[in-house]
Amino acid sequence: MKIYNTLTQKLEEIKPRKDNKINMFVCGPTVYDHAHIGHARTYVFFDMLVKYLQYKKYKVFFLMNITDIDDKLIARAKQTETTEKELADIHIKSFFEDMKELHVKVTKYAKATDFIPQIIKQVKILLEKGYAYETPNGIYYDITKFEDYGNLSKQPLNELKVHRIEPDLTKRNIADFSLWKRQKPGEPAWQSPFGKGRPGWHIEDTAIAMHYFGEQYDLHGGGIDLMFPHHEAEIAQAEAITGKKPYVKYWIHPTHLIVEGRKMSKSLGNFITIKKALEEFPAEALRIMFIQTHYKKELNYSKETIETTRAAYERLKSFQERLNEIDSRKYDKGLKIIIGKEKKKILTALDNNFDTPKAFTILMTLIKRINGMIEKNKIGKKNTIEITKFLNEINTFFNILPEEKKAKITKEIKELVKEREKARKKKDFAKADSIRDKLKEKGILMEDTPKGSKIRAL
Ligand SMILES: [Zn+2]
């Protein structure tokens, strides 16, 4: 498959460095707060990409770091009168819940504080090789020592924007970045040969990635806002340490998510956590939303987007239900061929820079076509088995099929259902409706069909 590589600014065929093994690192969250839907977009995208590569028989190691020590964590801990560790633990737990709910499967999560020795070792090498220098505040990377600095984000060195304001006058160049921060009073710190302190943000990624993958690896991903200075700094660190280029073969940067046309931020009051979005609709629907916008395009989380998503999700759901109800012996020979052709088109779209909106449109058009066949009573049970097999195959990487929840039927619920049936027979609809509401509160949905009442989990 081909993917857009930020480093070369080209669509490139993915060819692993070794055999069919792909080592992929994705920048994880800084755990000072709950994760938001922007995170969800990024991580669901990489999850789908990994699952698609696995579908294509690659062996993928999906590694994600967790930044559990940094300035924001320290500030928030102070504000909320907790320790950094307590704060991090709460939000790590919350993040794992979110990823599980969203069906994001990461091979290994690695916390920065578990890699302090590896980080120290890398800082030491950078000092020894002359790429880093010491000031009273800590250790810094001298960006003028690394010729390719700015190469990933294509910024000429003299025009580099400085994103993080570090009013540290001890630095040689304004864009030099911190490798090790010397402890300030009240801050958590670790022993090191350069004094007690804590790691800078960029060095944790190279220390963790090299620990698992070695000096060079296949794929690095992260939101587009991380390209500079974060990823630029990673390359500068890694290639200075090893002397090998390129540190990472493919760099993949999905684009932003905005809310109602505006950047998401706490101050604008449009900050939406993953948990809040999952109250709005199930994970499968949220994944459909991400699929419907190409990962290189800005996604606008708006009322309109929510409605389109919900409609697509409902269409899939009712299609599945319709399939389940077919039990005729009819068989349409041509349908299998049609499915085969459309599947090929879907895979071709995904092979071309993971064009999920195109793949999804092909899928939904096919469903519309099959719905037409169902209406004309053309297909039977054997066809539905073929269709389900195809849907499940697509679902191995998309994870968008509504999960059929099984209702847990307790004795109490059984009694209520019986009572409701009685009321219905007596045409006491007021009573029947009140029981129906009671059941709904218990998570049970009653559906009245011509064949009788059906019980479903909400
Ligand atoms: Zn990172």
Side-chain angles (χ1 to χ4, degrees), residues 1-2 52 55-56 340-356 358-359 362 397:
M1 83 174 284
K2 280 184 177 163
Y52 186 61
Y55 171 77
K56 294 180 82 85
K341 271 188 188 161
E342 297 309 302
K343 188 177 109 180
K344 231 183 215 163
K345 282 192 210 162
I346 290 174
L347 303 185
T348 305
L350 295 176
D351 283 344
N352 181 27
N353 202 19
F354 214 53
D355 194 344
T356 54
K358 191 168 179 190
I362 297 165
F397 42 87

Coordinates of all heavy atoms in Angstrom, one line a residue, residues 1-2 52 55-56 340-356 358-359 362 397:
M1 N 0.8 -1.2 0.0 CA 0.0 0.0 0.0 C 0.9 1.3 0.0 O 2.0 1.2 0.5 CB -0.9 0.0 1.2 CG -0.3 0.5 2.5 SD -1.5 0.7 3.9 CE -2.4 2.1 3.5
K2 N 0.3 2.3 -0.5 CA 1.0 3.6 -0.5 C 0.5 4.5 0.6 O -0.7 4.6 0.8 CB 0.8 4.3 -1.9 CG 1.7 3.7 -3.0 CD 1.6 4.5 -4.2 CE 2.6 3.9 -5.3 NZ 2.2 4.3 -6.6
Y52 N -5.3 -2.7 9.2 CA -5.3 -3.0 7.8 C -4.0 -3.6 7.3 O -4.0 -4.6 6.5 CB -5.5 -1.6 7.0 CG -5.7 -1.8 5.5 CD1 -6.7 -2.6 5.0 CD2 -4.8 -1.3 4.7 CE1 -6.9 -2.8 3.7 CE2 -4.9 -1.5 3.3 CZ -5.9 -2.3 2.8 OH -6.1 -2.5 1.5
Y55 N -4.2 -7.1 8.3 CA -5.1 -7.8 7.3 C -4.3 -8.2 6.1 O -4.5 -9.2 5.4 CB -6.2 -6.8 7.0 CG -7.1 -7.3 5.9 CD1 -8.1 -8.3 6.1 CD2 -7.1 -6.7 4.6 CE1 -8.9 -8.7 5.0 CE2 -7.9 -7.0 3.6 CZ -8.8 -8.0 3.8 OH -9.6 -8.4 2.8
K56 N -3.3 -7.3 5.7 CA -2.5 -7.6 4.6 C -1.2 -8.4 4.9 O -0.2 -8.4 4.2 CB -2.0 -6.2 3.9 CG -3.2 -5.5 3.3 CD -2.7 -4.2 2.7 CE -2.2 -4.3 1.3 NZ -3.2 -4.3 0.3
G340 N -17.3 -9.5 -4.5 CA -15.9 -9.6 -4.8 C -15.3 -8.4 -5.5 O -14.2 -7.9 -5.1
K341 N -16.0 -7.9 -6.5 CA -15.6 -6.7 -7.2 C -15.5 -5.5 -6.4 O -14.5 -4.7 -6.4 CB -16.6 -6.4 -8.4 CG -16.2 -7.2 -9.7 CD -17.1 -6.7 -10.8 CE -17.0 -7.5 -12.0 NZ -18.1 -7.4 -12.9
E342 N -16.6 -5.3 -5.6 CA -16.6 -4.1 -4.7 C -15.6 -4.2 -3.6 O -15.0 -3.2 -3.2 CB -18.0 -3.9 -4.1 CG -19.1 -3.7 -5.1 CD -18.8 -2.6 -6.1 OE1 -18.6 -1.4 -5.7 OE2 -18.8 -2.8 -7.3
K343 N -15.3 -5.4 -3.1 CA -14.3 -5.5 -2.1 C -12.9 -5.1 -2.7 O -12.1 -4.4 -2.0 CB -14.2 -7.0 -1.6 CG -13.3 -7.2 -0.4 CD -13.3 -8.6 0.0 CE -12.0 -9.3 -0.3 NZ -11.9 -10.7 0.2
K344 N -12.7 -5.5 -3.9 CA -11.4 -5.1 -4.5 C -11.3 -3.6 -4.6 O -10.2 -3.0 -4.4 CB -11.4 -5.7 -5.9 CG -10.1 -6.5 -6.2 CD -10.0 -7.0 -7.6 CE -9.3 -8.4 -7.6 NZ -9.6 -9.1 -8.9
K345 N -12.4 -3.0 -5.0 CA -12.4 -1.5 -5.1 C -12.1 -0.9 -3.7 O -11.4 0.1 -3.6 CB -13.7 -1.0 -5.6 CG -13.9 -1.1 -7.1 CD -15.2 -0.3 -7.4 CE -15.9 -0.9 -8.6 NZ -17.3 -0.4 -8.7
I346 N -12.7 -1.4 -2.7 CA -12.4 -0.9 -1.3 C -11.0 -1.0 -1.0 O -10.3 -0.1 -0.5 CB -13.3 -1.6 -0.3 CG1 -14.8 -1.3 -0.5 CG2 -12.9 -1.4 1.2 CD1 -15.8 -2.0 0.4
L347 N -10.4 -2.2 -1.2 CA -9.0 -2.4 -0.9 C -8.1 -1.5 -1.7 O -7.1 -0.9 -1.2 CB -8.6 -3.8 -1.1 CG -9.4 -4.9 -0.3 CD1 -8.8 -6.3 -0.4 CD2 -9.5 -4.5 1.2
T348 N -8.4 -1.2 -3.0 CA -7.7 -0.4 -3.8 C -7.7 1.1 -3.3 O -6.6 1.7 -3.2 CB -8.2 -0.4 -5.3 OG1 -8.2 -1.7 -5.7 CG2 -7.3 0.5 -6.2
A349 N -8.8 1.5 -2.8 CA -9.0 2.8 -2.2 C -8.1 2.9 -0.9 O -7.4 3.9 -0.7 CB -10.4 3.1 -1.8
L350 N -8.1 1.9 -0.1 CA -7.3 2.0 1.1 C -5.8 1.9 0.8 O -4.9 2.5 1.5 CB -7.7 0.8 2.0 CG -9.1 0.9 2.6 CD1 -9.5 -0.3 3.4 CD2 -9.3 2.2 3.4
D351 N -5.4 1.1 -0.3 CA -4.0 1.0 -0.7 C -3.5 2.4 -1.2 O -2.3 2.6 -1.2 CB -3.9 0.0 -1.8 CG -3.9 -1.4 -1.2 OD1 -3.8 -1.6 0.1 OD2 -4.1 -2.4 -1.9
N352 N -4.4 3.3 -1.5 CA -4.0 4.6 -2.0 C -4.1 5.6 -0.9 O -5.1 6.3 -0.8 CB -4.9 4.9 -3.3 CG -4.4 6.3 -3.8 OD1 -3.3 6.7 -3.7 ND2 -5.4 7.0 -4.4
N353 N -3.1 5.7 -0.1 CA -3.0 6.6 1.0 C -4.2 6.5 1.9 O -4.7 7.5 2.4 CB -2.9 8.1 0.4 CG -2.3 9.0 1.5 OD1 -1.7 8.6 2.4 ND2 -2.5 10.3 1.3
F354 N -4.6 5.3 2.2 CA -5.7 5.0 3.1 C -6.9 5.9 2.9 O -7.3 6.6 3.8 CB -5.1 5.1 4.6 CG -5.8 4.1 5.5 CD1 -5.8 2.8 5.2 CD2 -6.3 4.5 6.7 CE1 -6.4 1.8 6.1 CE2 -6.9 3.6 7.6 CZ -6.9 2.3 7.3
D355 N -7.5 5.8 1.7 CA -8.6 6.6 1.4 C -9.9 6.0 2.0 O -10.7 5.4 1.3 CB -8.7 6.8 -0.1 CG -9.7 7.9 -0.6 OD1 -10.4 8.4 0.3 OD2 -9.6 8.3 -1.7
T356 N -10.1 6.2 3.3 CA -11.2 5.6 3.9 C -12.6 6.2 3.5 O -13.5 5.5 3.4 CB -11.1 5.8 5.5 OG1 -10.9 7.1 5.8 CG2 -10.0 4.9 6.0
K358 N -13.5 7.1 0.5 CA -13.8 6.5 -0.7 C -14.3 5.0 -0.5 O -15.3 4.6 -1.0 CB -12.6 6.5 -1.7 CG -13.0 6.1 -3.1 CD -11.8 6.4 -4.0 CE -12.2 6.0 -5.4 NZ -11.0 6.1 -6.3
A359 N -13.5 4.3 0.4 CA -13.8 2.9 0.7 C -15.2 2.8 1.3 O -16.0 2.0 1.0 CB -12.7 2.4 1.6
I362 N -18.0 3.3 -1.2 CA -18.2 2.0 -2.0 C -19.0 1.0 -1.2 O -19.9 0.4 -1.7 CB -16.8 1.4 -2.4 CG1 -16.1 2.4 -3.3 CG2 -17.0 0.1 -3.1 CD1 -14.6 2.1 -3.5
F397 N -10.7 -4.4 10.2 CA -9.8 -3.2 10.3 C -10.6 -1.9 10.6 O -10.2 -1.0 11.2 CB -8.9 -2.9 9.1 CG -9.5 -3.2 7.8 CD1 -10.2 -2.2 7.1 CD2 -9.4 -4.4 7.2 CE1 -10.8 -2.4 5.9 CE2 -9.9 -4.7 5.9 CZ -10.6 -3.7 5.3

